[in-house]
Amino acid sequence: MIGGGANMNIEEFRNNIPSFIEQSINIGKSIPDCNICLTASLKCINELDTTVEYLHKLWLKHLIDDTVAWNMSVMLGTLLGEMIINERCFHWVINNENLPVVETEEKNTLSPITKIYKIITDKNDCEGTARGFYEGFRILEQYHSLNDDEKEEITTYITNSEE
């Protein structure tokens, strides 16, 4: 298991990526009445969302517990991370919580494993989707690439009328 105090090193994690991807593909194939074909390409992000949604429904019905949800999240989150890395040429690092995260050129990090876990175990259906996670990152990235005048042009300031 990744996290939870285990000393994970990046080489060990990277060596497990092919196995995590293969297991993710098998999870997708096992969903009844769906023709899920997962690969490490963002072209398959809708299929990933369908897979995660299925696991979320199982979790809500108490058919899988938090440990199973975490283990599924490691596999599917690794797949999501690889989708992003293959698209954006980022890389994996181990963060200060001993979890693998995707690091950008600017040293910002994305935690696809944690995000998938939050989606699967979401009690209030507010965590969104893997697609939304990636698109949100892209929007923030685009915003930060704007100059100050461009940021000012698209920013709305809300003032407290009670002041």
Side-chain angles (χ1 to χ4, degrees):
M1 185 154 120
I2 294 177
N7 286 329
M8 169 66 62
N9 68 52
I10 195 62
E11 292 79 25
E12 180 182 355
F13 174 73
R14 285 184 182 138
N15 288 338
N16 285 311
I17 288 173
S19 174
F20 291 151
I21 291 173
E22 182 179 332
Q23 291 172 57
S24 295
I25 291 167
N26 290 334
I27 293 167
K29 286 179 182 176
S30 71
I31 296 176
D33 302 322
C34 290
N35 189 17
I36 304 276
C37 183
L38 292 170
T39 67
S41 166
L42 280 172
K43 292 176 184 176
C44 293
I45 201 160
N46 290 337
E47 288 85 354
L48 177 60
D49 281 339
T50 300
T51 304
V52 172
E53 180 182 341
Y54 178 78
L55 293 170
H56 173 65
K57 288 177 183 176
L58 293 178
W59 185 85
L60 287 173
K61 293 176 183 177
H62 305 288
L63 296 174
I64 61 173
D65 63 13
D66 288 344
T67 301
V68 172
W70 175 254
N71 290 334
M72 298 289 140
S73 299
V74 169
M75 291 175 264
L76 295 169
T78 300
L79 178 65
L80 176 57
E82 286 295 299
M83 288 176 173
I84 294 168
I85 287 169
N86 289 337
E87 180 77 15
R88 305 303 305 267
C89 298
F90 298 153
H91 60 273
W92 289 102
V93 296
I94 302 295
N95 70 7
N96 59 0
E97 296 172 348
N98 205 36
L99 291 172
V101 294
V102 174
E103 185 177 69
T104 69
E105 294 109 4
E106 296 82 21
K107 304 291 184 205
N108 296 317
T109 59
L110 300 153
S111 186
I113 293 170
T114 304
K115 184 59 181 178
I116 296 295
Y117 178 73
K118 287 179 179 182
I119 296 168
I120 291 173
T121 60
D122 184 9
K123 293 177 184 172
N124 300 314
D125 288 332
C126 62
E127 283 296 330
T129 62
R131 175 181 284 286
F133 174 73
Y134 178 68
E135 288 176 355
F137 161 73
R138 293 288 314 264
I139 289 167
L140 283 173
E141 187 178 50
Q142 290 170 2
Y143 176 79
H144 288 293
S145 71
L146 299 174
N147 66 41
D148 289 342
D149 290 337
E150 292 169 325
K151 287 179 183 176
E152 182 71 28
E153 188 176 313
I154 65 169
T155 302
T156 301
Y157 296 97
I158 301 172
T159 59
N160 187 348
S161 61
E162 296 177 11
E163 290 181 357

